[in-house]
Amino acid sequence: MGSKQGSKPKARKPGKRRFSFGKLFVAMGITAAIAIVFALIGYMVIIYNGQNIFDSNKDKLDMMEASIIYDGSDQEVAVLARQNREMVDKDEIPRKVANAFIATEDRRFNEHAGVDLWAIGRALVKDVVARSVVEGGSTITQQLAKNLFLDSEKTFFRKGTEMSIALALEENLDKDEILQLYLNRIYFGKGAYGIKAASKLYFGKADLNTLDTWEIATLAAIPKAPSVYSPLADAEKSKERRNVVLKLMYDQGYITEEEKNKSQAMEFVPQPGKGGEFPAFIDYMITEAAEKFKLEEEVLRRGGYKIYTTMNVEAQRILEQSFNNPKLFQKDGPEQKMQGSMVIVDNKDGGLLAMSGGRDYENKGLNRALAQRQPGSAFKPLIVYAPALELAGDRFNPYTLLNDEQKSYNNYSPRNYDGVYKGQVTMFEAVRKSINAPAVWLLNEIGVAKGMDFVGKMGIKLDSPDRNLAIALGGLTKGVSPLQMAQAYSAFPNNGTMNAAHSIRKIVDSEGGETVAKVEKTKVMSPKTAYYMTELLKGVVDGGTGTAAKLNRPAAGKTGTTQLDLKGLEKNNRDVWFTGFTVDWTAAVWMGFDKTDTKHYVLPASGSLPAAMFKEVMNKAMTAAKLPVKQFAKPADVPDLKEPPKVVTNLTGEYVKEGLPKVRLAWSGEENNDIGAYQVFRKEAKEGEYKQIAEMVKGTFEFNDISVKPGDSYEYYVVPFNTQSSQAGANSNVVAVEIPADEASPTPSRSPGASSTPHGSASPGSSTVPGGSVRPGGSAKPEDSASPGRSPTPGSPGGGAGTATPTPTPSPAGSPKVSQAPTATPPPGGAGQPSAGQTSPSPTGGAAGAAAGNGSAGNTGGSGGGQ
């Protein structure tokens, strides 16, 4: 056997080298060394740069050029500069104040050397994810560095400079000195710079040691976004942010849980302060610059900008002078004066012409033109009438008959402010007299959701709790502001186009760069709807609840009141409004008390004060602006409005035995070309609703009902009907006839031609009929009209102004009885019943119910805001 031959090693392929961990470690060591060298060089550069900037600027603040404000005519009206700064020494800063800002802004302030690497790392990650500079990651020292020496632009290069200055600050100053500079430097909103000025502005306290914990937290919440978290700008957002600060203080051991809970329950009350000329307008402008131009107030005040506004300086001054006139307001209460606010906007472009935030806005800073209050009936045109005309225009127009009856909708029972119900009224009459019942009925007909969607397009976003019929009377969860109302109403004289209200036309920076405002235009309704609404609202000013607003030129508008829901004071009001317009300008006025209580409320006699203020300001301001008197113009493609047929009067009825037994009806009518027919409706005693039994041609004023039966009783009414426009007039009075069982000779209870209505014959646009009718508003076409065996379209009128049953005229035994029909409850399926697929949810919460004019909170109904 041969021997075993050993195997040869494999040949190494050319060019392939064996991996070496040693070489890897060497390479890593060289790379690390180079990185350390560069890091040291970079650190030295940062230190040198920061120290150099600090040395060059340590004895001065960064004082930049003030910004100039121009009015709508490009005339300079104000200077926007730094103001209201008071310094405090570090010994005057309580430990709790320092801790609040440390907990909120920089929890590791006492540990880091000016830069928090953990915070920067977190910020860099967020920046990378967002692909932009979105997170600051700044320490208190960095914020001080930025405020002292830099602008607020967020760039990576600026961030490095900010860090270098922060390191220099920490090298040259101790922590208490840094905190002192920071608290004296930062901006707290409303022109207040530094913690002491802010304490005096918001709480009237010059000594920081007297601040309560919740007040300290309120101040610590502001610097993150002064235009948002100032309690004078938005009390709710301020409270939300304040409570976050309190939780941070508790989490970090600075306060107890009991102290946190007690502080979170506190409410802010504005304190006296001072302001300059046009304070409300300028404050609003500053907020708009921050929101739309991304220019925070601190930058705006020291940036040397030219701000071109929409202000009409004559209107602004007249407005402020009027609000300083106590004769235009209710007498002061024991602790508060009656407050108010007003906004004027330009219809053609939405420019804010003038704004008053209150009678003493220059002292308080609470801008009531932006505060939300319950609008009452001033909300009806927006939530009810405009949506009905826009979304169901084939069914409704200004002459449409609407149901005016006391009715409950799923336990919500709205009431007319005067307690009078006419059965039916035209839309003109419902708006002119601000009647509650037709408004609620109409919103129920079109649907709450459609009304909410409609006002949503106008910039009024309602909450889910508002999804109920109480909003027809202005019963809202949060309310609306005068600015929102003026903006929405401006669409009526502007052919249905709403321009977003704004105060800034353009801003020019110190280098000449120009940014022009982009105005949002929204088509919220058709020109036809806008014109019809203008006609409806003209009636309010010309001869309705708003006559106190009548100007020296055509004007239209709507009053609004919200009933006081305090026991024993329900006849008084909480809020009163007038929102109106001319061809050129729209204005909204609110009056009331900041805090309504048993000592401070609006008296019934003061309900017309907002309309009077509208007249006072608009007459003077439009004259000063030299605006010519203009008439409201009907758009070319909008058809003329035609009044419905006149009402039928003096309907009589009698049983006639001779020949074929029958009931003979006769009425008084007119030879009116608009009347094409008379529709006759009847209800048997055992029936629950009226049915149309005949249609008589024009010029016929009587009808014989031969289908009557002995022993039965019947009720009748007649409706005039225009067969060309399919429009019905108001119902006639009702007559009742009883057919004797033995068919004895009839003895009518009254002579033909006598009125059978307890309060006289019904007038146009009204009815005392307790039964059904054709579809409200005369939209019933011949093919839609009710016929024997078929009920009329839902929407019949109910118990009217005369609810007392008259005493029938005595008749001999066996003779027929003829009398005015007693009022009756509308039959099921009648007026105001929800349509198929539609519900009528009751309002939730006391605010909605009470504000809608209810006598008590919740959904029990009420006497209505009315007027």
Side-chain angles (χ1 to χ4, degrees):
M1 296 178 60
S3 62
K4 186 176 179 181
Q5 190 174 4
S7 60
K8 297 180 179 180
K10 293 182 179 180
R12 182 178 299 171
K13 293 183 180 181
K16 186 174 182 181
R17 299 181 178 180
R18 187 185 300 274
F19 173 79
S20 172
F21 281 102
K23 292 181 179 180
L24 174 62
F25 290 143
V26 171
M28 290 176 62
I30 293 172
T31 302
I34 294 172
I36 291 172
V37 170
F38 276 102
L40 290 172
I41 294 173
Y43 181 75
M44 292 173 64
V45 170
I46 289 174
I47 294 297
Y48 174 79
N49 183 53
Q51 189 64 45
N52 185 50
I53 295 174
F54 177 82
D55 291 339
S56 301
N57 296 274
K58 63 181 178 180
D59 294 327
K60 63 179 181 179
L61 294 176
D62 180 21
M63 299 297 290
M64 299 180 69
E65 183 183 2
S67 297
I68 307 299
I69 300 174
Y70 300 86
D71 67 4
S73 301
D74 295 344
Q75 299 299 310
E76 181 179 331
V77 294
V79 175
L80 194 64
R82 286 193 180 124
Q83 55 182 325
N84 193 19
R85 184 193 301 277
E86 295 187 54
M87 308 298 290
V88 293
D89 187 75
K90 60 183 179 181
D91 296 332
E92 298 178 275
I93 302 174
R95 192 70 254 168
K96 186 175 286 187
V97 171
N99 290 339
F101 283 86
I102 290 171
T104 307
E105 299 292 335
D106 185 4
R107 66 186 304 166
R108 282 183 284 274
F109 173 72
N110 291 312
E111 285 75 41
H112 63 65
V115 177
D116 189 341
L117 297 179
W118 284 106
I120 292 175
R122 181 181 67 248
L124 287 173
V125 170
K126 291 188 176 182
D127 290 348
V128 170
V129 171
R131 298 184 180 181
S132 65
V133 183
V134 297
E135 177 71 23
S138 295
T139 64
I140 284 177
T141 315
Q142 286 176 261
Q143 293 181 50
L144 176 61
K146 178 183 69 176
N147 278 297
L148 282 173
F149 310 118
L150 303 171
D151 60 31
S152 61
E153 182 184 3
K154 285 187 177 182
T155 66
F156 289 106
F157 179 78
R158 183 210 51 87
K159 196 71 175 179
T161 305
E162 175 188 298
M163 292 167 59
S164 68
I165 299 173
L167 293 172
L169 286 169
E170 293 274 353
E171 183 68 23
N172 291 274
L173 303 171
D174 62 33
K175 291 289 185 179
D176 287 343
E177 290 172 327
I178 290 172
L179 199 58
Q180 173 192 338
L181 282 171
Y182 173 77
L183 292 176
N184 280 324
R185 173 69 188 181
I186 54 178
Y187 182 59
F188 285 86
K190 299 297 178 184
Y193 291 82
I195 186 72
K196 185 173 183 179
S199 177
K200 291 174 68 176
L201 171 67
Y202 294 114
F203 304 110
K205 297 181 178 181
D207 183 355
L208 301 184
N209 289 287
T210 62
L211 288 170
D212 295 329
T213 300
W214 74 272
E215 295 172 327
I216 293 171
T218 299
L219 294 174
I222 296 174
K224 180 179 178 65
S227 62
V228 176
Y229 296 122
S230 162
L232 293 176
D234 192 320
E236 285 301 315
K237 288 184 179 179
S238 171
K239 185 177 181 180
E240 291 173 5
R241 174 69 180 165
R242 177 200 73 191
N243 289 346
V244 170
V245 173
L246 289 167
K247 187 176 186 304
L248 289 171
M249 294 177 70
Y250 167 71
D251 291 342
Q252 296 173 46
Y254 293 127
I255 59 175
T256 65
E257 184 174 12
E258 180 182 359
E259 194 173 4
K260 172 181 73 80
N261 294 338
K262 180 181 178 181
S263 297
Q264 287 181 334
M266 299 300 293
E267 296 292 337
F268 173 79
V269 177
Q271 297 295 317
K274 287 186 178 181
E277 194 174 24
F278 317 138
F281 190 102
I282 291 176
D283 278 355
Y284 181 80
M285 180 210 70
I286 290 171
T287 301
E288 186 175 308
E291 293 177 352
K292 297 183 179 179
F293 292 82
K294 308 304 178 186
L295 291 172
E296 292 297 333
E297 182 171 357
E298 169 70 10
V299 176
L300 201 66
R301 285 185 179 274
R302 61 187 174 91
Y305 293 94
K306 294 180 178 179
I307 309 164
Y308 292 85
T309 73
T310 59
M311 180 195 297
N312 182 295
V313 71
E314 292 90 357
Q316 182 67 45
R317 287 199 170 107
I318 290 169
L319 177 53
E320 294 187 2
Q321 290 167 4
S322 299
F323 268 66
N324 286 330
N325 183 356
K327 294 180 180 179
L328 297 174
F329 291 86
Q330 182 178 300
K331 185 179 178 180
D332 293 348
E335 299 168 8
Q336 304 176 61
K337 63 172 61 176
M338 187 187 205
Q339 271 299 342
S341 60
M342 183 173 180
V343 174
I344 307 176
V345 298
D346 194 325
N347 298 333
K348 70 177 184 298
D349 59 13
L352 183 61
L353 300 171
M355 172 183 282
S356 171
R359 295 176 69 183
D360 50 1
Y361 182 83
E362 66 277 10
N363 294 323
K364 283 193 173 182
L366 175 62
N367 194 342
R368 298 167 186 85
L370 308 179
Q372 294 181 317
R373 304 287 295 224
Q374 300 298 325
S377 293
F379 204 53
K380 291 175 183 176
L382 304 177
I383 194 70
V384 178
Y385 295 111
L389 294 174
E390 180 74 8
L391 304 174
D394 57 336
R395 183 180 175 190
F396 299 108
N397 65 61
Y399 285 111
T400 297
L401 289 171
L402 309 178
N403 278 23
D404 178 24
E405 57 183 9
Q406 191 170 0
K407 181 177 175 58
S408 179
Y409 302 84
N410 290 349
N411 296 322
Y412 172 54
S413 304
R415 297 194 289 272
N416 290 344
Y417 66 93
D418 57 4
V420 175
Y421 302 85
K422 296 182 178 180
Q424 283 185 316
V425 293
T426 64
M427 189 180 293
F428 262 121
E429 189 75 354
V431 174
R432 185 174 70 87
K433 292 188 176 180
S434 196
I435 309 175
N436 288 336
V440 177
W441 176 85
L442 185 55
L443 182 60
N444 188 57
E445 290 291 300
I446 66 172
V448 171
K450 290 182 178 179
M452 292 177 67
D453 290 343
F454 191 86
V455 296
K457 293 191 300 181
M458 292 179 155
I460 301 174
K461 305 296 183 183
L462 302 184
D463 297 330
S464 295
D466 290 319
R467 196 173 294 273
N468 61 76
L469 289 174
I471 62 176
L473 308 183
L476 309 179
T477 304
K478 294 182 178 178
V480 292
S481 70
L483 181 60
Q484 287 177 305
M485 292 292 284
Q487 176 180 266
Y489 266 67
S490 69
F492 296 142
N494 203 36
N495 287 329
T497 297
M498 187 189 76
N499 298 292
H502 61 284
S503 64
I504 300 174
R505 293 180 289 133
K506 65 179 179 179
I507 295 180
V508 180
D509 62 28
S510 58
E511 297 180 356
E514 183 175 291
T515 305
V516 179
K518 296 179 180 178
V519 181
E520 180 182 351
K521 296 178 179 289
T522 306
K523 191 71 174 178
V524 295
M525 69 189 83
S526 68
K528 177 181 177 181
T529 297
Y531 174 69
Y532 283 177
M533 286 304 305
T534 299
E535 291 296 297
L536 287 168
L537 296 173
K538 279 171 58 182
V540 175
V541 174
D542 291 341
T545 60
T547 54
K550 190 175 294 186
L551 304 180
N552 55 14
R553 65 189 67 221
K558 185 70 185 72
T559 54
T561 62
T562 58
Q563 185 185 21
L564 190 63
D565 53 347
L566 299 178
K567 187 175 182 180
L569 298 172
E570 291 85 358
K571 292 184 179 181
N572 301 285
N573 297 308
R574 180 180 291 272
D575 303 281
V576 287
W577 291 75
F578 184 81
T579 306
F581 53 88
T582 66
V583 173
D584 297 297
W585 293 357
T586 296
V589 185
W590 166 83
M591 290 184 183
F593 287 87
D594 288 339
K595 183 180 179 182
T596 305
D597 54 33
T598 55
K599 298 179 181 178
H600 305 90
Y601 50 83
V602 182
L603 299 171
S606 300
S608 62
L609 288 178
M613 177 66 76
F614 175 88
K615 177 180 180 178
E616 173 76 10
V617 174
M618 294 288 275
N619 266 342
K620 291 181 178 179
M622 298 189 82
T623 300
K626 298 180 180 179
L627 291 175
V629 175
K630 299 177 185 176
Q631 301 291 329
F632 292 107
K634 181 176 69 66
D637 56 346
V638 175
D640 291 326
L641 279 170
K642 293 185 178 181
E643 291 192 46
K646 302 299 182 182
V647 71
V648 173
T649 58
N650 297 329
L651 175 65
T652 63
E654 62 177 344
Y655 174 69
V656 179
K657 180 179 179 181
E658 289 76 11
L660 191 63
K662 55 186 171 288
V663 170
R664 177 175 295 158
L665 302 175
W667 58 88
S668 299
E670 298 180 11
E671 291 292 343
N672 190 324
N673 291 331
D674 289 339
I675 299 178
Y678 291 101
Q679 296 176 335
V680 181
F681 288 81
R682 184 186 76 178
K683 179 169 74 76
E684 295 183 35
K686 60 184 178 181
E687 294 178 329
E689 57 190 19
Y690 285 81
K691 300 173 184 177
Q692 183 181 335
I693 61 172
E695 183 171 290
M696 312 304 293
V697 298
K698 181 178 68 175
T700 303
F701 304 114
E702 65 176 44
F703 168 73
N704 291 316
D705 182 8
I706 61 174
S707 61
V708 296
K709 301 175 183 178
D712 283 348
S713 61
Y714 301 88
E715 293 177 8
Y716 299 88
Y717 69 85
V718 177
V719 177
F721 187 72
N722 188 324
T723 54
Q724 294 183 348
S725 65
S726 297
Q727 193 171 8
N731 299 351
S732 70
N733 57 282
V734 170
V735 294
V737 180
E738 292 187 17
I739 312 302
D742 58 2
E743 295 187 353
S745 298
T747 304
S749 65
R750 53 183 164 73
S751 59
S755 172
S756 60
T757 307
H759 295 271
S761 301
S763 59
S766 66
S767 172
T768 58
V769 182
S773 73
V774 295
R775 183 174 299 176
S779 61
K781 300 177 181 178
E783 60 269 22
D784 293 331
S785 301
S787 57
R790 176 182 170 205
S791 352
T793 305
S796 54
T803 57
T805 304
T807 304
T809 302
S811 305
S815 65
K817 297 178 181 179
V818 182
S819 68
Q820 166 67 32
T823 57
T825 302
Q833 298 298 324
S835 305
Q838 177 184 344
T839 60
S840 303
S842 58
T844 57
N854 299 337
S856 59
N859 56 6
T860 59
S863 62
Q867 304 186 31

